[in-house]
């Protein structure tokens, strides 16, 4: 049975707004929308950055799916709506006719778990809206990842919707799960252009050519970090802290091998048209109207992703072997949750590897967008000032390579693509606004804390401020070894020698064996008097950039300790001082997982 339900004559509309950085919230929104058909709702799925915030006042039922970025910030797509909701002149009953619910995505390893979702829920309630279903919080730390919370939350949501918005008595219960209708209809083309464009038109993207692809870590170092430079024939506008968005491209050899595995090698280059038929499901960005399987799996669909539970649910519909179907049933049962985790998430088994074991699966072409997740564009902090390097974009990128628990080598799709670029190779980039906002006065102190590849946006900040005549920037950089991974160390030392910046660096592995390792937060504590003067007396800005693991919290903790010590504050007041800096825009985190 296929889910071809229509809602003709039934006005049951549900708006699903999502805010994502990596694409997971978008996939979650699609999943929720698809399941809402069982409660006879027709969903409209929109990214928050394509939705007019002012229109929210006219909605009656909205479901928000909100990711968490860095150490607890909202995704960039949520910022316009969030800024509107924060206005102090909004009446307390503004959304008295709005019913809503929220599902947040986060990682409980961080203090501000699902923080944007919690803030959004609280703010909407304060403006008179009614939360009809308790907030859901998907946790990356769960053995099933986000699905551990999403699956039961969806069932609770459907029961709530079904009973809160009753239908005709003839419709007595939720419809059972069944095979969803495909989100697209594909049709072979009798004739097609000789050359098919891999992407649909998007004015936000522009062409650049690779000029530099240089390793900046030692050749014998375990981590390969590269400095990239791209040049354009047009002016590019961006500010320090903005990010470059790059769409990865799978290698030809990997795509050929995958198409052969799927039995699609002979039809890989047959052109077909795409009609978006199920409008409550999204499609990957920049999908062309006419394409081929080879183009799609090279540029748009990811067969190297670790599949979520929903992948196995839909795979079962296309598996014909009894033993394979039985194994999938075990994975999808409550009792089989641990087995699925050990088979898939624990060892990071990819979709391609799963399909190589479930050989009877025959996936119809119309269902490829339902089975395979989008090949997501990646975001990289821009590592240069546009004022100093017009028509250029520089990046500092760690090339992703590791081995799974099964000792299988893995490579990052996008970083491998970048690592293989040669001079004059062409690619497309778009620029998105980042979270960093510098003081208007270049003489106001700025403290930059950017260990590892977190140095990328700090390089842009420092170039921008030096060229504006500032010598009031302090850089705290941290790495393991002065000789191995001291990113742009020659630049920082030259600036420090000419008194254009103050440079402090921690080489955590260069000390004698058995001695305590030194990190950026240790240097900040050591410099407590000057740091307190810069942040309190001179009301400077602190910018933290890098991996959102323990470092950002440790730096915040160091500032709080300095406030206690140098500011003679109680612990509670010191924490308030740090939080107040953040509210004033004087503490900025540009961090990533």
């Amino acid at each position: 049975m296929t889910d071809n339900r229509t809602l003709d004559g039934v006005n049951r509309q549900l708006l699903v707004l999502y805010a994502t950085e990596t694409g997971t919230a978008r996939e979650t929104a699609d999943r929720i929308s698809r399941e809402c058909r069982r409660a006879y709702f027709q969903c409209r799925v929109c990214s928050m950055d394509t939705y007019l915030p002012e229109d929210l006042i006219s909605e009656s039922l909205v479901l928000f799916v909100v990711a968490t970025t860095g150490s607890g910030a909202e995704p960039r797509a949520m910022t316009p709506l969030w800024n509107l909701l924060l206005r102090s002149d909004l009446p307390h009953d503004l959304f008295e006719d709005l019913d809503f619910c929220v599902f947040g995505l986060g990682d409980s390893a961080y203090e501000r778990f699902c923080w944007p979702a919690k803030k959004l829920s609280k703010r909407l309630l304060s403006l008179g809206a009614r939360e009809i279903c308790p907030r859901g919080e998907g946790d990356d730390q769960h053995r099933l990842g986000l699905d551990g919370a999403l699956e039961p939350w969806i069932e609770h949501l459907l029961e709530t919707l079904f009973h809160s918005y009753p239908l005709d008595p003839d419709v007595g219960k939720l419809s059972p799960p069944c095979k969803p209708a495909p989100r697209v209809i594909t049709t072979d083309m009798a004739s097609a252009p000789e050359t098919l464009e891999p992407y649909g038109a998007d004015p936000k993207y522009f062409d650049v050519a690779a000029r530099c692809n240089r390793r900046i870590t030692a050749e014998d170092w375990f981590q390969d970090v590269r400095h990239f430079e791209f040049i354009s024939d047009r002016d590019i506008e961006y500010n320090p802290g903005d990010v470059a968005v790059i769409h990865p491209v799978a290698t030809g050899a990997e795509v050929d091998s995958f198409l052969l595995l799927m039995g699609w090698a002979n039809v890989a280059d047959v052109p077909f048209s795409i009609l978006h038929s199920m409008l409550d499901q999204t499609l990957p960005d920049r999908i062309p109207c006419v394409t081929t399987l080879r183009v799609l799996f090279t540029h748009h669909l990811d067969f190297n992703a670790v599949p979520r539970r929903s992948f196995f649910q839909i795979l079962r519909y296309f598996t014909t072997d009894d033993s394979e179907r039985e194994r999938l049933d075990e994975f999808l049962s409550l009792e089989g949750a641990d087995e699925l985790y050990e088979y898939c998430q624990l060892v990071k088994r990819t979709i391609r590897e799963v399909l190589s074991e479930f050989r009877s699966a025959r996936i119809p072409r119309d269902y490829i967008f339902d089975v395979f997740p989008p090949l997501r564009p990646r975001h990289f902090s821009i590592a240069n000032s546009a004022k100093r390097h017009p028509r250029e974009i520089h990046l500092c990128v760690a090339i992703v390579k590791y081995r799974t628990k099964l000792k299988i080598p893995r490579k990052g799709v996008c970083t491998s693509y970048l690592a293989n670029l040669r001079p004059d190779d062409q690619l497309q980039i778009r620029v998105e606004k980042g979270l960093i906002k510098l003081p208007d006065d270049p003489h106001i102190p700025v403290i930059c804390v950017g260990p590892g590849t977190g140095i990328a946006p700090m390089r842009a900040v420092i170039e921008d401020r030096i060229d504006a005549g500032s010598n009031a920037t302090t850089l705290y950089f941290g790495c393991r070894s002065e000789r191995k991974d001291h990113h742009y160390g020659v630049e920082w030392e030259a600036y420090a020698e000419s008194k254009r910046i103050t440079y402090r660096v921690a080489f955590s592995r260069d000390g004698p064996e058995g001695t305590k390792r030194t990190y950026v937060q240790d240097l900040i504590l050591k410099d407590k008097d000057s740091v307190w003067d810069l942040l309190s007396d001179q009301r400077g800005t602190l910018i933290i950039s890098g991996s959102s693991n323990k470092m950002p919290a440790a730096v915040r903790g160091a500032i709080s300790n300095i406030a206690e010590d140098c500011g003679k504050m109680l612990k509670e007041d010191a924490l308030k001082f740090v939080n107040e800096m953040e509210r004033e825009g004087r503490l900025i985190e540009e961090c990533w997982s």
Side-chain angles (χ1 to χ4, degrees):
M1 177 181 176
T2 300
D3 179 5
N4 285 311
R5 280 187 297 272
T6 61
L7 299 174
D8 297 338
V10 180
N11 185 24
R12 292 167 68 80
Q13 301 293 320
L14 171 58
L15 172 64
V16 181
L17 290 177
Y18 67 87
T20 190
E21 286 286 329
T22 64
T24 306
R26 177 176 177 167
E27 292 175 33
T28 302
D30 277 346
R31 172 77 195 287
I32 294 170
S33 174
R34 187 168 64 242
E35 293 293 336
C36 282
R37 297 175 195 166
R38 294 172 50 204
Y40 304 94
F41 273 86
Q42 180 68 48
C43 293
R44 178 163 56 104
V45 181
C46 297
S47 174
M48 289 189 193
D49 60 355
T50 64
Y51 180 80
L52 286 176
E54 296 81 4
D55 289 348
L56 192 61
I57 187 65
S58 62
E59 305 289 351
S60 59
L61 179 59
V62 182
L63 191 155
F64 298 90
V65 182
V66 183
T68 308
T69 68
S71 301
E74 77 273 4
R76 294 172 180 86
M78 180 177 165
T79 302
L81 175 62
W82 183 239
N83 287 342
L84 176 70
L85 293 176
L86 286 180
R87 280 176 41 182
S88 59
D89 60 342
L90 298 180
H92 64 87
D93 59 351
L94 178 66
F95 293 121
E96 62 181 358
D97 297 322
L98 174 66
D99 288 351
F100 78 96
C101 45
V102 178
F103 188 85
L105 293 77
D107 187 330
S108 60
Y110 299 108
E111 181 181 359
R112 297 184 173 189
F113 172 58
C114 287
W115 203 249
K118 292 174 180 176
K119 291 194 300 182
L120 177 62
S121 176
K122 183 178 179 180
R123 183 57 177 156
L124 289 171
L125 287 169
S126 73
L127 294 172
R130 183 171 72 110
E131 192 166 24
I132 61 171
C133 181
R135 182 179 61 251
E137 296 179 350
D139 185 3
D140 280 338
Q141 293 296 315
H142 193 283
R143 69 183 190 282
L144 293 180
L146 301 173
D147 292 330
L150 179 62
E151 297 278 340
W153 187 82
I154 287 177
E155 292 303 316
H156 189 179
L157 169 70
L158 296 183
E159 291 289 345
T160 300
L161 290 174
F162 195 76
H163 293 293
S164 298
Y165 297 86
L167 274 171
D168 188 278
D170 292 339
V171 183
K173 59 182 180 179
L174 292 171
S175 62
C178 58
K179 183 170 74 173
R183 68 184 73 189
V184 302
I185 297 172
T186 64
T187 306
D188 286 340
M189 300 290 290
S191 62
E194 190 171 315
T195 302
L196 292 175
E197 292 296 326
Y199 301 109
D202 187 336
K204 294 179 182 178
Y205 281 84
F206 52 89
D207 295 322
V208 296
R211 183 177 68 185
C212 175
N213 174 1
R214 183 179 79 250
R215 179 168 177 147
I216 59 175
T217 47
E219 289 294 335
D220 61 350
W221 191 239
F222 75 96
Q223 188 176 48
D224 180 0
V225 176
R226 304 284 182 98
H227 172 76
F228 294 95
E229 295 179 7
F230 303 101
I231 56 174
S232 173
D233 60 2
R234 51 165 272 190
D235 292 329
I236 312 171
E237 293 185 6
Y238 56 87
N239 295 309
D242 288 356
V243 298
V245 181
I246 297 178
H247 207 115
V249 177
T251 66
E254 279 196 315
V255 173
D256 287 344
S257 174
F258 174 74
L259 292 171
L260 186 63
L261 168 70
M262 298 302 296
W264 290 334
N266 293 334
V267 295
D269 299 302
V270 174
F272 55 86
S273 63
I274 297 174
L275 173 66
H276 191 183
S277 55
M278 298 302 288
L279 299 182
D280 61 352
Q281 302 291 286
T282 65
L283 291 180
D285 296 333
R286 307 173 73 201
I287 287 289
C289 296
V290 178
T291 189
T292 66
L293 287 172
R294 187 183 306 280
V295 168
L296 288 178
F297 286 103
T298 301
H299 298 276
H300 297 286
L301 296 175
D302 193 354
F303 52 85
N304 284 314
V306 176
R308 296 177 60 181
R309 188 172 184 272
S310 55
F311 166 84
F312 293 94
Q313 289 174 327
I314 195 165
L315 180 65
R316 189 188 181 284
Y317 295 118
F318 306 119
T319 303
T320 56
D321 182 83
D322 288 342
S323 63
E324 292 178 1
R325 290 174 70 97
E326 184 177 342
R327 192 177 185 197
L328 290 171
D329 286 339
E330 290 173 1
F331 283 163
L332 295 170
S333 68
L334 288 176
E335 299 78 15
D338 287 336
E339 186 180 353
L340 177 59
Y341 168 73
E342 292 171 2
Y343 172 78
C344 189
Q345 284 81 16
L346 179 65
V347 298
K348 298 188 182 298
R349 200 181 302 268
T350 67
I351 288 175
R352 175 183 176 178
E353 290 165 345
V354 171
L355 290 172
S356 71
E357 296 189 12
F358 290 84
R359 299 303 297 269
S360 75
R362 293 291 180 267
I363 299 169
R365 191 174 66 186
D366 285 359
Y367 276 93
I368 55 176
F369 294 104
D370 301 283
V371 174
F372 299 96
L375 186 56
R376 301 169 178 173
R378 270 50 168 189
H379 297 68
F380 301 98
S381 293
I382 297 174
N384 67 292
S385 164
K387 296 174 184 175
R388 182 177 295 191
H389 305 279
R391 300 193 173 193
E392 297 182 18
I393 286 180
H394 299 183
L395 303 178
C396 177
V397 178
I399 307 304
V400 178
K401 295 179 182 178
Y402 64 97
R403 287 185 177 271
T404 69
K405 290 183 180 294
L406 296 177
K407 305 303 180 185
I408 298 173
R410 290 275 192 266
K411 294 181 179 180
V413 176
C414 193
T415 60
S416 295
Y417 165 62
L418 290 174
N420 290 325
L421 289 175
R422 297 180 178 181
D424 299 324
D425 280 353
Q426 301 286 314
L427 65 154
Q428 291 190 320
I429 289 180
R430 82 170 189 265
V431 171
E432 286 189 359
K433 188 166 182 58
L435 303 175
I436 294 174
K437 187 179 186 307
L438 294 175
D440 294 331
D441 183 351
H443 301 293
I444 292 176
V446 170
I447 297 177
C448 298
V449 183
T453 54
I455 197 62
M458 303 314 189
R459 187 171 183 261
V461 167
I462 289 168
E463 288 185 350
D464 195 86
R465 282 173 60 82
I466 286 176
D467 291 352
S470 173
N471 62 353
T473 307
T474 301
L475 171 62
Y476 287 90
F477 176 69
C479 62
R480 295 192 177 198
S481 171
E482 181 177 13
R483 295 180 180 274
K484 303 293 186 181
D485 59 339
H486 190 188
H487 308 332
Y488 307 109
V490 173
E491 292 183 24
W492 313 137
E493 289 166 353
Y495 290 148
E497 188 174 347
S498 59
K499 308 296 184 185
R500 288 183 284 181
I501 68 169
T502 299
Y503 183 43
R504 300 282 283 143
V505 58
F507 303 116
S508 63
R509 302 297 196 276
D510 280 354
E513 190 71 29
T515 59
K516 183 180 181 295
R517 292 170 180 170
T518 300
Y519 299 102
V520 286
Q521 61 266 27
D522 300 313
L523 293 182
I524 290 171
L525 285 170
K526 189 174 182 180
D527 300 341
K528 60 182 181 180
D529 292 328
S530 61
V531 168
W532 181 248
D533 174 61
L534 294 172
L535 296 181
S536 178
D537 300 340
Q538 299 188 50
R539 294 188 58 76
T541 293
L542 172 65
I543 306 173
I544 306 170
S545 173
S547 176
S548 57
N549 47 28
K550 297 178 181 179
M551 183 274 296
V555 172
R556 294 171 70 105
I559 301 303
S560 179
N561 288 340
I562 290 172
E564 287 186 61
D565 190 0
C566 299
K568 308 304 179 186
M569 295 182 181
L570 297 173
K571 184 173 184 177
E572 182 179 335
D573 294 328
L575 292 172
K576 287 181 180 178
F577 171 80
V578 174
N579 292 333
E580 187 62 29
M581 281 186 61
E582 191 168 25
R583 280 192 291 271
E584 293 172 349
R586 295 195 302 116
L587 192 164
I588 302 165
E589 290 187 20
E590 179 71 83
C591 299
W592 51 85
S593 301

